[in-house]
Amino acid sequence: MTTPRIETSHAGSLPRTPELIAANDARTLADDGLTLQRTPEFDELLTAAVVDLVERQRDLGITVVGDGEYGKAMTSAVDYGAWWSYSFQRVSGLTVTGADIFSQEPVRSSPGNVRLTSFPDRRDWTIFRDAYQDPTSGISTGKTATAFPSTTGPLAYVGQEAIASDIANLKAGLAATGADPSTGFLTALSPGSGARIANDFYATEEEHIWAWAEVLREEYTAIVEAGLTVQIDDPSIAENWDQIVPEPSVDDYRAFTRIRVEALNHALRGLPEDQVRFHLCWGSWHGPHTTDVEFRHIADLMLEIRAGAYSFEAANVRHEHEWKIWRDLELPAHKKIVPGVVSHATNVVEHPELVADRIEAFASVVGPERVVASTDCGLGGRIHPQIAVAKLAALGEGARIASARLFG
């Protein structure tokens, strides 16, 4: 009989090897300015890196493993946007126009008319402008592998070769360690996050979101049909709140968010929920986050998403206290939560006893069999690789301590 235990995972991105970063940096861009060309040598390096990474995760006590998002290009050690920018190479209808969320003019919302403003105009970035503009403050989000494009034509998925490579590499790593394919996951962008780029083609914002839903469904389906779990990355569900000026009412924000939930559910239609997990966060940059929306205002909307598990920040010091909302919020039957119990936002490595305490707090309100211990956000591109390894080790050890206490 298998001894019960707390399963462990992470939010997706893990630090790339120096060799992989250099290889990505050496790749040439196609004429579209977005697509990084592949070579047999690069593909061989990528496969070997993923296989090695899967083994290292399992050695550290991670039981539900990913490919570290290694198939999502990073050309520098600090890159907070690879989870998003990878999609620009897998979707047609995009053009680099020079207009993006970092350079566009500020936008103002009004009651009943919620609109996203530019990233530099977000409320937290404005309140702490001096810190955000100080290159020594530690807030810098690095650089992405490609520029941010605009939607200039009908969107279509063209990433079949890339997602097939991601699937094959992760399954090779799982096979090499003798692991069941069902213990592997790959991340994919949400429609709501995808649609935050400039739209110069679709008549309305809502049409743009639904077009992204149709496109990304192909990626979700490919992952699920391969026997893996797809993790939907959607910081926008929570993060959009800070990107609306002035601060909207909670009701207006929920209406604005519901459109994105409905589009995602459309993209997930018919896919088995036990192979889908959803990741929510408040943006992974290392800023003050004083204007983050409270989890209690959106947690029930999150639970409407057709997923079998829900990943969210819970070790972040801005949100750690919010584990208590689960005392009153009913988790639907047969679903799990995947709370972060180690943080991407600090170089301090959590003590395994603290990790165990955090796990036990969630287990006390939803039951230990429904908790998968994880990281808040991806560790890759955000903290030093050596620190990331120590955090994953603390996660694995903390889960072992909690398992002994909870299951005897």
Side-chain angles (χ1 to χ4, degrees):
M1 184 175 68
T2 302
T3 303
R5 65 178 177 181
I6 296 292
E7 300 291 342
T8 53
S9 191
H10 55 84
S13 182
L14 295 175
R16 278 55 160 183
T17 64
E19 294 79 11
L20 187 56
I21 290 174
N24 271 312
D25 195 33
R27 294 165 71 187
T28 58
L29 281 169
D31 292 340
D32 62 7
L34 293 170
T35 305
L36 290 166
Q37 307 282 29
R38 305 176 72 100
T39 64
E41 293 77 16
F42 174 80
D43 287 342
E44 183 178 348
L45 173 67
L46 177 60
T47 298
V50 173
V51 170
D52 177 67
L53 178 68
V54 171
E55 182 177 5
R56 287 188 285 129
Q57 288 174 74
R58 294 184 65 82
D59 288 345
L60 290 167
I62 306 304
T63 61
V64 182
V65 302
D67 70 340
E69 300 186 7
Y70 277 21
K72 298 172 171 63
M74 278 176 49
T75 56
S76 62
V78 179
D79 179 352
Y80 287 51
W83 65 274
W84 181 2
S85 62
Y86 88 94
S87 66
F88 308 152
Q89 301 174 54
R90 302 188 186 187
V91 178
S92 63
L94 307 177
T95 305
V96 177
T97 64
D100 57 42
I101 54 178
F102 300 98
S103 61
Q104 71 186 51
E105 291 296 315
V107 174
R108 292 294 171 260
S109 296
S110 57
N113 182 31
V114 173
R115 301 166 64 202
L116 296 177
T117 189
S118 64
F119 267 38
D121 189 49
R122 355 177 34 118
R123 287 180 278 118
D124 197 59
W125 293 28
T126 300
I127 295 169
F128 295 93
R129 187 179 302 279
D130 290 350
Y132 278 102
Q133 292 182 348
D134 182 351
T136 67
S137 67
I139 295 177
S140 172
T141 56
K143 65 175 184 176
T144 54
T146 67
F148 272 65
S150 302
T151 297
T152 55
L155 299 177
Y157 190 73
V158 293
Q160 291 84 359
E161 181 181 351
I163 190 59
S165 170
D166 290 345
I167 290 168
N169 289 339
L170 178 56
K171 293 185 82 168
L174 292 164
T177 60
D180 190 307
S182 66
T183 63
F185 76 95
L186 292 171
T187 62
L189 188 69
S190 73
S193 287
R196 288 194 294 176
I197 64 171
N199 169 35
D200 297 329
F201 179 78
Y202 291 95
T204 66
E205 178 183 62
E206 190 165 351
E207 284 184 26
H208 192 211
I209 295 169
W210 282 83
W212 274 98
E214 288 294 348
V215 164
L216 291 167
R217 174 177 171 78
E218 185 166 346
E219 187 155 280
Y220 306 163
T221 301
I223 295 169
V224 167
E225 288 184 347
L228 303 168
T229 291
V230 58
Q231 175 180 294
I232 309 299
D233 281 343
D234 197 1
S236 71
I237 292 291
E239 184 193 326
N240 280 343
W241 171 267
D242 176 55
Q243 203 182 333
I244 299 165
V245 181
E247 179 181 303
S249 70
V250 171
D251 286 344
D252 274 356
Y253 186 71
R254 285 173 61 86
F256 176 84
T257 301
R258 189 173 294 281
I259 295 169
R260 288 145 178 82
V261 170
E262 291 173 352
L264 175 55
N265 278 338
H266 178 72
L268 291 170
R269 66 191 184 278
L271 299 182
E273 290 187 359
D274 62 354
Q275 286 181 255
V276 178
R277 79 183 194 192
F278 177 81
H279 174 66
L280 175 147
C281 75
W282 285 264
S284 57
W285 69 88
H286 296 178
H289 286 272
T290 57
T291 54
D292 286 1
V293 67
E294 293 182 54
F295 196 17
R296 64 188 176 93
H297 293 317
I298 57 172
D300 62 323
L301 287 177
M302 177 188 74
L303 293 178
E304 292 181 14
I305 292 166
R306 292 171 176 162
Y310 302 93
S311 162
F312 51 88
E313 291 186 73
N316 181 322
V317 293
R318 190 72 194 179
H319 296 281
E320 183 175 0
H321 67 287
E322 292 180 311
W323 70 270
K324 290 175 284 190
I325 71 168
W326 296 97
R327 291 171 174 168
D328 302 313
L329 185 64
E330 183 177 356
L331 181 64
H334 311 301
K335 297 197 176 191
K336 297 181 179 181
I337 56 173
V338 190
V341 291
V342 299
S343 177
H344 67 290
T346 175
N347 287 330
V348 178
V349 177
E350 293 81 355
H351 194 286
E353 287 283 352
L354 174 61
V355 172
D357 288 347
R358 288 170 169 168
I359 292 169
E360 290 177 75
F362 283 102
S364 71
V365 287
V366 302
E369 72 285 350
R370 305 179 76 185
V371 176
V372 179
S374 188
T375 63
D376 274 346
C377 288
L379 303 179
R382 297 167 178 84
I383 60 174
H384 191 276
Q386 191 175 19
I387 297 174
V389 169
K391 281 180 175 281
L392 291 179
L395 171 58
E397 179 59 25
R400 283 189 284 272
I401 294 170
S403 296
R405 293 175 182 168
L406 293 166
F407 299 113

